[in-house]
Amino acid sequence: MLLSAFTEDLLVRVYSKLGSDSDRKTWRLVCKDFLRVDSVTRRSLRVLRSEFLHGLLSKYKNLDTLDLSVCPRIEDATVSVLLSQAVNSVSWTRWVTRLVLSRASGLRYGGLERLVGACPCLEVLDVSYCWGYGDREAWAISSVRGLRELKMDKCLGVSDVGLAKIAVGCGKLERLSLKWCMEISDLGVDLLCKKCLELKSLDVSYLKVTSESLCSIASLPKLEVLAMVGCPFLDDYGLQFLEHGCPSLQAIDVSRCGCVSSSGLISVIRGHRGLAILNAGYCFSELSAMVLHSLKDLKNLNTIRIDGAQVSDSSFQTFSTNCKSLVEIGLSKCVGVTNMGIMQLVYGCVGLKIVNLTCCRYITDEAISALANSCRNLVSLKLEACDKVTEKSLDQLGSCCLQLEELDLTDCCGVNDKGLKYLSRCSELLSLKLGLCTNISDKGLAYIAHNCTKISELDLYRCTSLGDDGLAALSSGCKNLMKLNLSYCNGVTDTGVQYIGRLGQLSDLEMRGLVNLTSEGLTAVVAGCKKLSDLDLKHCGNIDDSGFWALSYYSRNMRQINMSYCAVSDVGLCMVLGNLTRLQDVKLVHLMNVTVKGFELALRACCVRIKKVKLIGSLRFLLSTEILETLHARGCKIRWE
Amino acid sequence: MDHKEMPRPTADTWGKSFPSGNELLKNISSDDTPLTISQRPQQKWEDPSMLDYNTRIEPPFQEFKQRSETQSSLPCNPNNQNKVTDEDVQMNGTIQTEKIQDWDPRAMLNNLNFLEQKIHQLQDLVHLIVGRRSQALGRPDELLAQQKQLITADLTSIIVQLISTAGSLLPSVKPLSGTTPTGQLGQLGGLFLPSTVGPNGSVQPQNNGGSKVSDQSNQMDITVNCGNEQNYNVEEHESKDDEDADEGENLPPGSYEILQLEKEEILAPHTHFCTICGKGFKRDANLRMHMRGHGDEYKTPAALAKPNKEATSEPMLIKRYSCPYAGCKRNKDHKKFQPLKTILCVKNHYKRTHCDKSYTCSRCNTKKFSVIADLKTHEKHCGKDKWLCSCGTTFSRKDKLFGHIALFQGHTPAIPLEETKGPTVPPDRGEGNEAINKVRSINFNFGSNAPNGNEVQNTADVKGNIEDPTGYFSPLNFDTWNFGGFHEFPRPPYEDSESSLSFLIPGSCNYTVPGSCNYTQKTGAESSSNNPE
């Protein structure tokens, strides 16, 4: 009655304030009016269950984003059906500008052509990790004249010809990622740079392109972001082209380019004073004084990553004086990072928010304290394998850096319960990694659980001192937990795991090598965590078929599962693979109780939706060719161990 | 075989071109069907010059022919054959470095010596016969006839040798000493051996033997073929550095000797002829190889060695060649005369520039060539112009295509229709394409049997089908799902509408298409038989 007083546009305004999917779901369930508001207003759809797709698309007419990346069973036929309904009524494709088809490996050029052809307003297309895509699919994509953004990561079959198709067809392209499109060479990149002059962002990472490509890329007038990670044939000579080209370049990533050295980097810096992001990790062994000196010209530099470089205290001195506006610094695996260096750095760069000190082993509490004191806005700090860090650091962080959202303390032996108590004052923490911190116990975890209620990702890998009580605390405190790693926490038993079942938001759960875990515990988890989509049960040898039966019944959203070394039988495996209709990625090595017949049957049961499967190599010759062919044809990748 | 040869102007090729005949031989030798072998002599007979040959040389020669037949087929024993080819290869190497040598006084001297020997031998033989005759007058006629044969054979071989020796003089003599000797020699050739200028392989007596020796002749063909093929290879190799290659050479006039071959010589297929059987060769080395078949005396290292080996040490005037075509830049009378380096250059230049392009590519039927090697080179790449632009232009190289595309607005590379997934297929997807086709055919109601491969058709069918969405069963349309016999499958006791569907094998429930029937039934049956309950 009260609700009927609200006009529809008022409801729409309220609806637009809703933050999360679960809130919107609640909204939809209120009444028909609310449902209608939802269907009229909703712009974006990410579908997990392809069988609902048909109905959903007929309901939501005003979609601008359709995400099918987590949806199994997207094939040419599916597309035909989805498009066929448009004939009768107004097409749902009318306003679609953004299409995410990542990992939709079952979709081939026929379907792709139909789909993109039906979306007249399409501007953004993501076909990354469709590993089977080749030039024909590129051809289909090239028919989208208005395309502005295209992501083709790991479309392994796309060659220069396909790229040429896209370059000619999609002349308005602004953002393009060609990462891991291994067939593409200089020729394709050259043509791209001649045809798509609007390009603002280009990713050619891991391609076998040479300096010739850089010569072409340098001619792009509007390029702002250039990523060239791991291009083994790029060298300083190529970077010299960039010095005089790409006037608006703001971000460049040359990490892992083995042939790039300081001189190449200097020439890029010299040419682009407006550079804001510089990633040169694992490029050169030593950060030369010349590079450091040239950095002072980069007034806008806010991010620099020099992972793996040899640095000295004076380097940090230069950073401190020249790069005042630095927000992010990556020093992972840098040699020569000392307390003194860090103290000098933070003296000047007080605005740092993201600091990566992974494997800087000589860092002690002194440096972290200085960091925490200076950089009050710290958001992310990675201290993996900094084993000299103790509770004193955490004390400082807990008192100074209240904005901290991400902290990686993996393999920091100095972290103990007391430290976690200090740390728990960072109530904004979203991600905490405590892997291999063997000194923390249930008590420490309880501090975190009580205070850091926003935590969504927690890594407790091999925290062997942890027991069931810690998990009990966790389940009551961190209700927002989405990702949890309990692998090899041998102290955890069924009792503890049963608490996990109370975490309703949990989607990723790793429980490798939990020898005490039985079917009882697994049943509790899967019954409770309805959103579970990624489960790792490798080496959980004590789970029998009844656990997997429960899994196959409850985990309707499961997308990825690792059952290697489990004691599952033929029936159990068939149940899991057959009934988990959203399953897309399974690892099934060393299943001792499963026969070849069992594998065959299980794969037949799921081959329509599975996208990736890992099997023991000997099965290659034992499974029928029919099933292997079918899997291939459906775009499923088989990894043989 | 027959079909293959049909489009060829058979008589012509036999007459004019050695290499194309060669190819024919290749085909024959590879197929070795009796049909083709018998076909060959037939063509021979049709050859007018061949008939000429036979009529002119009258009965005694026919006898000789039989003898030489046995001789010439000697080296064709399989045992020998290997050796021949081996050495051929070796010789070939020397040929390549040395290029063609034409008239060489030392070779001439060798030939003359050989002739002298031969005449002496014959003399001895006749002496012997005379002696024996006086001893035994009452001998049967049979022996007499044999002796007569022997002598005629030897005499003929001497005559042939003499002519060929004179013939070897031809190319070099002419430019030096005017026209008269050429005419004479030409006449000579025309008189006695029509084969010298005319059809190349016509002097292959063993082929006239008919079906009786067809086996052997076939073997012979192979050997000959080998040799010629190598010739051809060499030629092709050299054709790259032919007339255009010496463009930059700036020899001062007078520093070299200008030779000019006549048109007939340039177009003559062979310059080296067997003194015994008259068979022609392009290279002396091949002739020497051939000669071994005529007796042990040709197998000595001295006979096999390059006759002019010592001659190279002597200072020789550089030879350059002029094209006989008046007005040609390569003609010595041209103002800006640019000489040709070798005889091969002359030949290729003359054929390319001043002759009809009589060889048409059998693949594209458009490109024409006058030099057979050019045709071969083209044919190697013809149809391989896989870099195709949407405008229809083809390119042999990818970068050329991309240059073209960069230049012209709206042009894109065309993706070949028959190429299904070419490079996209990862190595472990051996039968991937097949499977794709198969599954596609299942999905899209292709009718009973899936067409093999043709992707265009697939697309067409896909589209055709899409027009009528009711035509096939959607994977999403639950109402149409129907699973016979699947209720027995073990399922959890919970009621879940989806899980009941999930055990169905792909295609079995979703796609009830005629094409997929087999598959469906099979998998369905299997899964129910595999039922672990």
Side-chain angles (χ1 to χ4, degrees), chain A residues 316-335:
Chain A
F316 291 109
Q317 179 82 55
T318 322
F319 277 131
S320 183
T321 49
N322 292 338
C323 311
K324 295 275 186 197
S325 54
L326 219 52
V327 172
E328 178 179 350
I329 188 161
L331 299 168
S332 171
K333 299 196 181 176
C334 279
V335 183

Side-chain angles (χ1 to χ4, degrees), chain A residues 5-301:
Chain A
F6 293 127
T7 58
E8 196 163 289
D9 56 325
L10 206 60
L11 284 178
V12 168
R13 287 187 71 172
V14 175
Y15 175 83
S16 65
K17 301 284 182 198
L18 293 179
S20 71
D21 274 345
S22 54
D23 290 345
R24 279 193 282 270
K25 188 177 180 182
T26 318
W27 170 280
R28 283 198 296 277
L29 296 174
V30 172
C31 67
K32 274 188 176 176
D33 282 339
F34 277 44
L35 183 65
R36 207 181 69 249
V37 166
D38 175 66
S39 69
V40 169
T41 320
R42 196 179 176 103
R43 293 279 179 267
S44 145
L45 195 60
R46 186 170 186 257
V47 192
L48 177 59
R49 307 182 180 204
S50 55
E51 55 271 27
F52 297 154
L53 198 54
H54 195 265
L56 285 171
L57 289 176
S58 57
K59 204 159 64 181
Y60 295 108
K61 297 284 183 196
N62 298 320
L63 284 181
D64 61 13
T65 300
L66 178 62
D67 185 344
L68 300 176
S69 59
V70 291
C71 194
R73 207 189 288 166
I74 293 296
E75 290 176 338
D76 291 0
T78 326
V79 168
S80 305
V81 174
L82 294 181
L83 295 176
S84 67
Q85 70 190 67
V87 178
N88 318 324
S89 55
V90 185
S91 170
W92 58 268
T93 58
R94 195 176 33 161
W95 306 117
V96 170
T97 56
R98 186 186 198 93
L99 211 48
V100 184
L101 299 172
S102 180
R103 293 180 205 278
S105 46
L107 192 65
R108 296 288 163 164
Y109 70 94
L112 189 64
E113 196 176 17
R114 294 270 302 162
L115 188 57
V116 297
C119 304
C121 303
L122 196 62
E123 285 181 359
V124 182
L125 182 61
D126 182 353
V127 291
S128 52
Y129 301 99
C130 293
W131 54 271
Y133 275 22
D135 292 341
R136 291 179 165 272
E137 282 77 14
W139 189 2
I141 292 168
S142 73
S143 63
V144 189
R145 302 281 162 206
L147 205 63
R148 289 176 190 279
E149 190 175 333
L150 177 60
K151 212 172 168 190
M152 301 180 71
D153 299 3
K154 220 158 196 173
C155 291
L156 292 175
V158 174
S159 73
D160 289 338
V161 171
L163 182 60
K165 283 267 175 205
I166 289 168
V168 173
C170 315
K172 293 178 183 167
L173 219 49
E174 287 172 13
R175 311 178 74 80
L176 178 62
S177 177
L178 300 171
K179 206 170 174 178
W180 287 305
C181 295
M182 304 302 279
E183 299 284 322
I184 287 172
S185 72
D186 287 336
L187 274 178
V189 175
D190 180 54
L191 190 75
L192 176 78
C193 297
K194 281 176 181 153
K195 296 285 180 184
C196 300
L197 297 175
E198 300 290 315
L199 272 178
K200 285 186 181 143
S201 166
L202 181 62
D203 189 341
V204 292
S205 298
Y206 302 101
L207 301 192
K208 291 178 193 130
V209 293
T210 68
S211 302
E212 279 176 51
S213 280
L214 275 179
C215 183
S216 315
I217 289 169
S219 69
L220 287 171
K222 296 184 180 173
L223 197 72
E224 290 168 5
V225 181
L226 178 59
M228 311 182 289
V229 182
C231 296
F233 303 112
L234 281 186
D235 54 17
D236 294 341
Y237 177 70
L239 288 177
Q240 282 168 16
F241 290 116
L242 279 185
E243 182 182 344
H244 306 292
C246 303
S248 29
L249 197 68
Q250 286 171 14
I252 187 164
D253 189 345
V254 289
S255 49
R256 295 177 199 279
C257 293
C259 293
V260 167
S261 75
S262 301
S263 74
L265 206 58
I266 289 168
S267 57
V268 173
I269 292 170
R270 209 186 302 137
H272 301 92
R273 297 291 155 91
L275 216 57
I277 299 171
L278 180 62
N279 191 344
Y282 307 106
C283 275
F284 32 77
S285 50
E286 197 171 353
L287 191 67
S288 74
M290 287 284 281
V291 175
L292 287 167
H293 185 70
S294 62
L295 284 178
K296 76 169 191 296
D297 298 324
L298 302 178
K299 296 294 174 210
N300 297 329
L301 191 72

Side-chain angles (χ1 to χ4, degrees), chain B residues 211-491:
Chain B
S211 59
K212 204 180 87 186
V213 280
S214 63
D215 270 6
Q216 280 183 333
S217 72
N218 200 20
Q219 275 185 348
M220 182 64 178
D221 285 348
I222 295 166
T223 5
V224 169
N225 194 12
C226 280
N228 284 327
E229 215 175 355
Q230 280 163 348
N231 276 353
Y232 155 63
N233 285 341
V234 172
E235 187 176 29
E236 199 191 19
H237 211 234
E238 285 169 350
S239 68
K240 277 161 199 160
D241 57 330
D242 56 4
E243 77 237 41
D244 294 326
D246 58 340
E247 202 78 64
E249 194 185 47
N250 268 325
L251 291 170
S255 70
Y256 53 90
E257 178 185 11
I258 300 172
L259 308 179
Q260 182 171 300
L261 283 78
E262 281 314 309
K263 181 187 161 196
E264 290 75 20
E265 281 174 78
I266 290 169
L267 298 177
H270 296 146
T271 46
H272 305 273
F273 295 93
C274 174
T275 51
I276 294 162
C277 66
K279 186 169 164 50
F281 294 91
K282 282 185 178 174
R283 278 154 230 282
D284 189 49
N286 291 348
L287 173 62
R288 273 180 275 135
M289 289 298 111
H290 164 86
M291 290 308 287
R292 294 177 307 173
H294 288 306
D296 282 338
E297 68 265 38
Y298 302 108
K299 291 180 183 167
T300 60
L304 285 168
K306 217 186 292 171
N308 57 326
K309 210 152 202 178
E310 316 89 77
T312 48
S313 56
E314 290 172 20
M316 272 172 63
L317 201 58
I318 306 166
K319 281 184 208 161
R320 287 293 177 265
Y321 297 85
S322 154
C323 170
Y325 196 91
C328 174
K329 199 181 180 185
R330 304 295 196 167
N331 185 272
K332 59 188 175 197
D333 298 329
H334 194 275
K335 277 181 202 164
K336 293 178 182 173
F337 170 59
Q338 282 189 313
L340 293 151
K341 247 183 188 170
T342 65
I343 291 194
L344 193 68
C345 293
V346 177
K347 287 187 168 189
N348 282 339
H349 159 78
Y350 192 84
K351 284 181 193 166
R352 281 183 189 137
T353 325
H354 311 299
C355 288
D356 288 340
K357 296 187 174 183
S358 48
Y359 304 117
T360 313
C361 172
S362 58
R363 293 200 203 190
C364 62
N365 278 322
T366 47
K367 286 258 182 186
K368 289 184 174 184
F369 302 92
S370 49
V371 177
I372 196 95
D374 293 354
L375 173 69
K376 298 276 175 187
T377 315
H378 163 79
E379 275 184 335
K380 251 187 216 168
H381 303 286
C382 182
K384 280 185 192 166
D385 279 359
K386 53 180 179 173
W387 302 109
L388 176 69
C389 178
S390 55
C391 69
T393 322
T394 56
F395 299 86
S396 58
R397 281 167 53 180
K398 191 176 169 187
D399 53 336
K400 301 285 173 199
L401 169 66
F402 275 68
H404 168 88
I405 287 163
L407 206 59
F408 295 97
Q409 207 68 41
H411 289 209
T412 64
I415 292 168
L417 295 170
E418 69 274 13
E419 180 218 337
T420 45
K421 283 264 155 265
T424 71
V425 182
D428 61 327
R429 290 179 67 196
E431 312 92 340
N433 285 343
E434 263 174 52
I436 289 167
N437 282 337
K438 197 167 135 200
V439 173
R440 285 225 172 112
S441 71
I442 290 165
N443 287 351
F444 295 116
N445 207 349
F446 262 170
S448 51
N449 44 1
N452 260 2
N454 196 334
E455 285 282 320
V456 192
Q457 173 139 22
N458 279 5
T459 2
D461 278 20
V462 171
K463 282 179 178 166
N465 250 329
I466 286 158
E467 303 306 318
D468 179 19
T470 53
Y472 76 87
F473 295 84
S474 90
L476 314 174
N477 200 347
F478 287 100
D479 305 23
T480 58
W481 283 20
N482 173 28
F483 354 91
F486 260 97
H487 309 290
E488 298 106 61
F489 207 85
R491 285 197 286 116

Side-chain angles (χ1 to χ4, degrees), chain B residues 66-85:
Chain B
Q66 274 171 8
R67 205 193 140 210
S68 73
E69 185 181 283
T70 48
Q71 274 188 345
S72 62
S73 55
L74 257 173
C76 311
N77 295 342
N79 313 344
N80 278 354
Q81 209 172 309
N82 281 340
K83 210 175 94 192
V84 172
T85 41

